[in-house]
Amino acid sequence: MKSNIWISLAVGTGLLLAFPALVSQPLVNAGIQMLIAALFACAFNLLCGQAGMLSFGHAAYFGIGTFATIHTMNAFGGAGLLPTPLMPLGGALIGLLTGGVAGWFATKRTGTYFAMITLALAELLHALAPHLKGVFGGEAGIYAMRMPAWGISFGSSIEVYYLTLAWVFVSLLLLYLFTLTPMGRLSLGLRENSHRLKFLGYDVHRLSVTVFAISAMFAGVAGGLQALHTESANYVLFEGHVSAAVVLNSYIGGVSAFLGPALGAVLMTFFGYAVSDLTRSWLLYQGLLFVLIMMFMPTGLIGVFKWLGTSRKTYGTAQLLPLICLGLSTGMILTAGVVFAVEMLQRVFSLDYRSMSALSPAAGWAPITLFGRDWLPNSIGTWIVPLSLLLVGVALTSQVKRLWRSLVDRVEHHRENSDAAIRRNER
Amino acid sequence: MSKNPQPILTVSAVRKVFGETEIIRGVDLELRDGQRHALIGPNGAGKSTLFHLISGHYAPDEGRIIFDGHEIQGASPEYINRLGLARSFQITNIFPKLSVFENLRIAVMRRHGLQNTLWRFMSSYANVREDTDRLLEQVRLQSRRDAIAGELSYSEQRSMEIAMALASEPKVILLDEPTAGMSHEETDYAIDLIKSATQGRSLLIVEHDMDAVFSLCDRISVLVYGQVIATGTPEEIRNNQKVKEAYLGEEFKV
């Protein structure tokens, strides 16, 4: 098991290092976004997954990190306070400080009230930022330029990619090492039972504030990397959906494992990049994905890997593989049905289509092009496609369930028999 | 040990009101150094509330609580704990998803001053590990070291809680119904454990099992409707007319 983890880490690192050589320019930019999102999610998860404080306003510390880094880059008339590779330190410092102050208030309460305070603080910043022209540049935002440093121009995406990768790598390492320190161990106690911790002599508020500030600091680093990447900062960084995205990413990946949130963030950022060009409904798909994962695999994607590991031992790969293949194809059929229905409906109800129909009412329903074919929205044949896909999917789902149950029964039956045999032999 | 040791914990004229109801109505109580002292009384007498007042969970409305020369009424739980007073709870109060070892280690770490340490790994503290293992041994949970605390049996969890209270090497231990919900064998086992584990410390214990109380404790106080109506040796309490009337009733035979 240990060696498996080391091998996957080595392969993952190798892939990340080779990534720019393997893909096109726009994908390198997406890769930078994925790395930043991964760091942001892990910083968030220090607070949420490890210390049990669900913050709904973590965009505040990310955004503050971005603004602080832009200001660091613009210091001394554009010469910069630090060499370019070290600029995110500005974000880290301001993240730490604001995290300390905001955390002092927020961690006075726990649970829902804590979440509400973090949300309110982020909204406060979002409302305030456009009015503070000097710091946040008003609605237009502020800009900076990456300057060459250490013999590197930092002009190309590839250079920014490697700089981001180095920062993310070091930050994740530090975040991981934190979990091994006395304070890291105590933060688990904070999640499990902060009340008991008080009666063991710990200053729970101080502990919570420190964890909050460290989490905000690394969120600030992620924001700083964003500043280096986009060379700009705008108050929309404080918007609620940024805070929501990091919560969703973390839960989709799985908050119970250290790298779970990173996995969720990488996949969802890539999903957003890949799908947002293809369809306008991609936010709907993102939401659907989240709901389905929370309903059927609440431990997140990491939980699925863990489940695969244990099930392979219990049931054997040979037994499991056909079932998993069938399950995956069922999933794909259901997905196809849902996507078809959603895309058709979206087009029928779109403004373009309706105004076109209004212009020439006599023409009736115009055909809609989807997946390289024309479909008539008013013909039954069109709707039979998603309907039959969904029906087949549902039928297959119950078949998969049945097969799974019989596999479980078989294995348990077998185990009981062998237990009985052992007992007979003992007699 | 002298016959009448000095008091280490003194509760005097403490009152606590919740809304309209006065739960603690002027309690005086003295726990002497090195003694085991039971607090008994019918349900709703205010035993747990009194524990909450002493341990800093609630602040009393009136009165003073003096522990080891410090006035602690209204102080924070962590301050009182650091002075050397540890407690367990009536309802299981643990870190359910952490291992038994981790539960106890968190309890031990405080004594080693490890709250804000960020620059060393936990694994490098051999003394913390040794102390934790010694505690495990003391409450006979070595075999459950790596089990998830929430998955232990009820009586194992109670044993672990006693160990958590012991972890800070406290001068005074407050145990709130440590044997509640246990079978007879488990109760005997737990009382035995408490007896050996609290050797050389002062113990204040809320306990309903009278056999356990009489075998374990040097002194007993009886709390009825927020007032201590009697304090004395088990023998004195057994023969106290007021106690018999007020609390023990007809079915109590000794």
Side-chain angles (χ1 to χ4, degrees), chain A residues 180 192-193 199 201-202 206, chain B residues 82 93 97 106 110 116:
Chain A
L180 303 178
E192 289 295 307
N193 190 345
F199 288 88
Y202 293 103
R206 193 155 119 194
Chain B
R82 287 183 206 186
N93 199 339
K97 282 186 193 145
I106 287 178
R110 172 58 235 154
N116 302 308

Side-chain angles (χ1 to χ4, degrees), chain A residues 348 350-366:
Chain A
V348 171
S350 71
L351 216 54
D352 291 355
Y353 189 78
R354 275 188 304 163
S355 49
M356 198 177 72
S357 309
L359 277 179
S360 51
W365 296 92

Side-chain angles (χ1 to χ4, degrees), chain A residues 226-246:
Chain A
Q226 173 88 353
L228 276 182
H229 174 45
T230 60
E231 301 179 292
S232 68
N234 188 288
Y235 81 104
V236 295
L237 282 169
F238 297 124
E239 271 181 5
H241 74 84
V242 183
S243 294
V246 72

Side-chain angles (χ1 to χ4, degrees), chain A residues 181-401:
Chain A
T181 64
M183 197 177 208
R185 301 323 289 174
L186 277 181
S187 70
L188 299 180
L190 207 54
R191 174 191 74 200
E192 289 295 307
N193 190 345
S194 61
H195 174 256
R196 189 75 188 92
L197 223 44
K198 270 185 210 162
F199 288 88
L200 290 172
Y202 293 103
D203 187 338
V204 166
H205 186 231
R206 193 155 119 194
L207 184 63
S208 312
V209 175
T210 315
V211 175
F212 194 106
I214 293 173
S215 169
M217 178 176 89
F218 283 103
V221 172
L225 293 172
Q226 173 88 353
L228 276 182
H229 174 45
T230 60
E231 301 179 292
S232 68
N234 188 288
Y235 81 104
V236 295
L237 282 169
F238 297 124
E239 271 181 5
H241 74 84
V242 183
S243 294
V246 72
V247 177
L248 299 191
N249 290 346
S250 300
Y251 276 91
I252 287 172
V255 291
S256 61
F258 180 76
L259 283 178
L263 179 72
V266 165
L267 288 179
M268 292 313 284
T269 310
F270 179 75
F271 181 82
Y273 164 79
V275 180
S276 62
D277 282 348
L278 297 176
T279 165
R280 289 185 205 172
S281 324
W282 74 279
L283 280 174
L284 176 71
Y285 294 123
Q286 199 182 25
L288 272 178
L289 213 58
F290 179 69
V291 170
L292 288 175
I293 286 180
M294 285 301 101
M295 277 176 75
F296 297 109
M297 29 188 179
T299 48
L301 295 172
I302 285 280
V304 175
F305 286 118
K306 282 184 185 159
W307 175 83
L308 273 178
T310 49
S311 304
R312 231 177 51 188
K313 261 184 233 145
T314 326
Y315 306 109
T317 313
Q319 301 281 342
L320 215 55
L321 202 60
L323 208 58
I324 288 174
C325 289
L326 188 61
L328 282 178
S329 7
T330 309
M332 278 193 256
I333 289 169
L334 282 171
T335 310
V338 170
V339 169
F340 192 99
V342 167
E343 293 302 317
M344 252 343 252
L345 287 170
Q346 186 254 316
R347 280 167 176 73
V348 171
F349 287 106
S350 71
L351 216 54
D352 291 355
Y353 189 78
R354 275 188 304 163
S355 49
M356 198 177 72
S357 309
L359 277 179
S360 51
W365 296 92
I368 290 172
T369 313
L370 186 65
F371 303 122
R373 275 197 55 180
D374 286 344
W375 310 85
L376 278 172
N378 58 342
S379 119
I380 293 174
T382 304
W383 297 102
I384 277 182
V385 176
L387 208 62
S388 50
L389 281 170
L390 287 174
L391 283 176
V392 170
V394 169
L396 278 174
T397 307
S398 62
Q399 175 71 4
V400 171
K401 267 189 182 164

Side-chain angles (χ1 to χ4, degrees), chain B residues 12-43:
Chain B
S12 41
V14 161
R15 288 175 185 278
K16 180 67 186 174
V17 181
F18 289 105
E20 301 275 287
T21 332
E22 193 170 20
I23 300 293
I24 300 293
R25 308 186 299 156
V27 162
D28 295 292
L29 190 74
E30 209 176 78
L31 173 64
R32 293 180 188 163
D33 199 7
Q35 288 202 337
R36 299 200 186 95
H37 195 135
L39 190 62
I40 63 172
N43 285 328

Side-chain angles (χ1 to χ4, degrees), chain B residues 93-105:
Chain B
N93 199 339
I94 57 174
F95 306 109
K97 282 186 193 145
L98 306 183
S99 71
V100 175
F101 181 78
E102 190 99 46
N103 266 267
L104 292 185
R105 187 168 67 181

